[in-house]
Amino acid sequence: MNDPILANAPSHGGNEVRTDDRSPITGPPYDSGPAPAPAPSPTFAATARGWWVRLCGAAEHYGPVLALYGALKLIGFCVFMYLLDSSGDFRKKNPRFGGGAHAWDVLATWDGWWYQQIAAHGYHPALVPVPGAGGLITIEGNSAAFFPLYPALMRLVSSGTGLGLLGAGLLVSVAASFVAALAIHAVTARIGGRRAGLAAAGLWAVWPGSGMEWSAYSESLYVALAAWACYAVMRHRWLTAGILTCAAGLTRPTATALIAALTVAALLAIRRQRREVRRWGDAPGPDRTRRRATVVRPLAAVAIAPLGLLGYLGWVGHRMGDYGGYFTLQEGAWAHTFDYGKHTLDVFTSLPVGHFDYLFAYPYEDLIGVGTVLLALIVLPLLLRLRPPAVLVVHTLLTIALVLGSQQIFGNISRYLLPAFPLFIPCAVAMRRLSTPVLCAVLGIAALASGSYAGYALFELGVP
């Protein structure tokens, strides 16, 4: 029997009877039901838990580095303060030249006094002749000889925290010293592993000249910037490296070595990229970026890196009416000049025979300086044997050359060589074989001694 209604009904492959045009695959042409509920957003507890996990991971990774460095520095600093207080010599000295009412006042004397003056009153660049002077010192000392980033941070911290300029300067230096320890650890760990990085951070705390790290001096800030800049170059973070190097150029003139090191590393990277372009064309590299595009960032870093140093020298020269005014001031007011190593040779030929008739003679401090130079020259071939990245090699070699090639107070060499932190690497690689108790014992003994050779000798037995 042919039912006209059934004959005109649509046929289906299953038992389900459909009375509309929906298909079992595509579903309805429009959604007439309620909108699906959005994915639940992370709760505060989940977000806090994520931050806690990250914090625990960071503490596990960086905690031992900070703890070791802090403990070693605290040991050396306490010994330094004890030696100052027990001798009492600082109480008889000018508060500007190694004296003060309290032991910690010594930390802000000499160069620290100048930094406080800059933070409080700014710069007044000038070349003022000393009336009737005919010797080495022919120009009055001027704050323009000291670079601006450290006193600027000192003033900023003082304004933000209510601390005096001395307290603010010490806070900046101490914080920067920990940042530098992390950077030295990171650089060394890429070459010798995390345990070598830990040992390198410990060496940063006890190396000759390390007494300057917790004082109103700019060494800690400069080394922090330089070490992280080198690490950024090693990771091919070119813009970061350029900005950090620019900031280092506003901190110390030693940044000349860092700028040259970054430039050499960038040119080598560009040469390598050009080789790959010739071989592979402009196909994306392993990091999915075009090979030609990767040349732009190293060039940008090379352009950015010297802006801080050149900008400050240019500003000082403009204010003085002499674009070589900074160097004229250094030579005429502090007798600092590049003499191609003549003064260093004079010291090395006089000290072994007990003569102290050379320029700026401070026998005890100079003996430590000679030992530091010999240590650096012994360690340098061991560093080169590890074949570290070019940025570390060039930075270390030029830093040593600039320091040894200059006429200056020779005893300061132990602190001037602090930026040559890659010298820690071969020592740290050798020390990574030591067990943790032995490593801590060795560095702990060095920390006890550092209160004298790295602190007291520089501030009280010489001129830092």
Side-chain angles (χ1 to χ4, degrees):
M1 175 178 176
N2 294 327
D3 190 326
I5 298 176
L6 294 176
N8 294 328
S11 61
H12 305 282
N15 296 327
E16 181 183 2
V17 178
R18 295 183 182 272
T19 58
D20 54 25
D21 59 352
R22 290 180 296 175
S23 96
I25 299 176
T26 61
Y30 59 88
D31 192 354
S32 58
S41 60
T43 63
F44 176 78
T47 303
R49 193 180 303 114
W51 279 105
W52 177 253
V53 170
R54 293 188 186 95
L55 183 61
C56 290
E60 182 180 359
H61 187 79
Y62 299 114
V65 180
L66 298 176
L68 179 65
Y69 173 76
L72 294 173
K73 278 305 303 176
L74 188 60
I75 292 171
F77 184 79
C78 289
V79 171
F80 178 25
M81 291 294 103
Y82 171 76
L83 292 175
L84 282 173
D85 187 66
S86 61
S87 69
D89 293 341
F90 70 94
R91 297 185 181 92
K92 307 170 189 175
K93 296 184 178 180
N94 189 312
R96 188 176 158 184
F97 304 114
H102 308 92
W104 55 82
D105 291 334
V106 174
L107 302 172
T109 57
W110 301 105
D111 289 4
W113 181 88
W114 283 105
Y115 284 126
Q116 290 182 84
Q117 295 303 304
I118 297 168
H121 309 295
Y123 285 101
H124 304 283
L127 295 174
V128 180
V130 176
L136 283 174
I137 308 302
T138 59
I139 298 175
E140 292 183 3
N142 190 280
S143 59
F146 300 88
F147 278 55
L149 184 56
Y150 178 69
L153 291 176
M154 181 187 292
R155 180 165 183 168
L156 179 64
V157 172
S158 178
S159 300
T161 63
L163 291 171
L165 291 176
L166 170 56
L170 291 178
L171 181 58
V172 171
S173 293
V174 171
S177 73
F178 280 93
V179 175
L182 290 176
I184 292 168
H185 168 268
V187 169
T188 307
R190 285 188 67 84
I191 297 173
R194 288 182 59 184
R195 191 160 184 83
L198 183 66
L203 290 172
W204 160 242
V206 303
W207 201 258
S210 58
M212 314 305 300
E213 295 167 15
W214 285 11
S215 66
Y217 276 61
S218 61
E219 266 70 17
S220 291
L221 179 61
Y222 176 77
V223 174
L225 293 169
W228 279 117
C230 290
Y231 181 75
V233 170
M234 294 167 68
R235 295 292 304 275
H236 305 292
R237 303 290 189 262
W238 292 106
L239 295 181
T240 301
I243 293 171
L244 290 171
T245 303
C246 178
L250 291 169
T251 308
R252 293 194 65 81
T254 321
T256 305
L258 182 63
I259 294 167
L262 182 145
T263 302
V264 170
L267 293 177
L268 291 175
I270 292 171
R271 180 185 178 189
R272 183 169 59 251
Q273 291 296 333
R274 287 173 62 88
R275 229 188 266 130
E276 292 186 1
V277 168
R278 284 198 299 268
R279 182 175 181 183
W280 303 105
D282 198 24
D287 57 354
R288 302 294 183 184
T289 58
R290 294 285 178 181
R291 296 182 189 276
R292 293 186 191 277
T294 57
V295 175
V296 176
R297 291 184 178 181
L299 289 176
V302 172
I304 293 170
L307 294 181
L309 178 66
L310 295 180
Y312 179 70
L313 294 180
W315 177 79
V316 168
H318 177 72
R319 291 285 301 271
M320 289 180 173
D322 176 5
Y323 281 98
Y326 174 83
F327 303 101
T328 303
L329 179 65
Q330 284 281 30
E331 182 175 0
W334 278 275
H336 288 185
T337 183
F338 193 79
D339 66 350
Y340 300 93
K342 181 178 179 299
H343 178 58
T344 301
L345 182 62
D346 192 17
V347 174
F348 269 82
T349 54
S350 299
L351 269 178
V353 293
H355 292 174
F356 303 102
D357 53 355
Y358 52 85
L359 188 64
F360 304 130
Y362 296 94
Y364 193 83
E365 186 186 32
D366 294 343
L367 189 61
I368 295 173
V370 168
T372 304
V373 172
L374 293 177
L375 177 61
L377 296 178
I378 291 170
V379 172
L380 184 59
L382 303 178
L383 173 65
L384 300 178
R385 184 172 176 268
L386 295 175
R387 303 183 66 181
V391 65
L392 299 181
V393 174
V394 176
H395 177 248
T396 304
L397 290 176
L398 287 183
T399 298
I400 294 174
L402 288 173
V403 172
L404 298 186
S406 297
Q407 174 185 285
Q408 58 201 344
I409 299 176
F410 185 82
N412 286 347
I413 275 185
S414 60
R415 77 175 177 96
Y416 290 153
L417 285 178
L418 278 175
F421 66 91
L423 293 173
F424 305 163
I425 296 176
C427 302
V429 169
M431 294 173 70
R432 67 184 175 182
R433 301 185 180 91
L434 301 176
S435 64
T436 300
V438 174
L439 177 65
C440 292
V442 170
L443 292 174
I445 293 171
L448 284 170
S450 71
S452 174
Y453 69 75
Y456 188 85
L458 292 184
F459 278 94
E460 289 296 291
L461 301 180
V463 177

